[in-house]
């Protein structure tokens, strides 16, 4: 399958190790529409600076944060 969005130059500056933080409002919007049972453990495998992890934790979720570096 060829996805045109994945072809050609990106036309933006690439961050080292693809470090792109998610704004907190994005995670809030997701959690306002997707219910995650409190008994579940959520794994954030690309935690970066903890932007998503912090919001999940504020919502009382049990979060496992990992990344290629130890920024979290």
């Amino acid at each position: 399958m060829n996805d045109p969005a994945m072809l050609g130059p990106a036309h933006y500056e690439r961050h080292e190790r693809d470090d792109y933080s998610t704004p907190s409002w994005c995670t809030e919007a997701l959690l306002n529409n997707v219910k995650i049972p409190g008994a579940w453990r959520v794994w954030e495998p690309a935690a970066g600076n903890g932007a998503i992890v912090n919001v999940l934790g504020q919502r009382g979720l049990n979060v496992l944060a990992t990344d290629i570096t130890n920024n979290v």
Side-chain angles (χ1 to χ4, degrees):
M1 176 171 91
N2 288 333
D3 182 349
M6 302 304 289
L7 302 175
H11 301 293
Y12 59 86
E13 182 181 334
R14 186 154 185 188
H15 295 191
E16 183 179 350
R17 297 186 188 218
D18 293 326
D19 183 18
Y20 305 99
S21 296
T22 302
S24 60
W25 69 265
C26 293
T27 307
E28 291 287 353
L30 175 70
L31 293 176
N32 288 338
N33 291 282
V34 176
K35 302 304 175 203
I36 300 174
W40 286 10
R41 186 171 201 193
V42 179
W43 178 28
E44 167 44 307
N49 67 2
I52 293 174
V53 173
N54 291 335
V55 175
L56 295 173
Q58 289 168 0
R59 290 286 189 105
L61 295 169
N62 180 4
V63 184
L64 169 63
T66 61
D67 204 304
I68 196 167
T69 63
N70 292 324
N71 293 341
V72 184

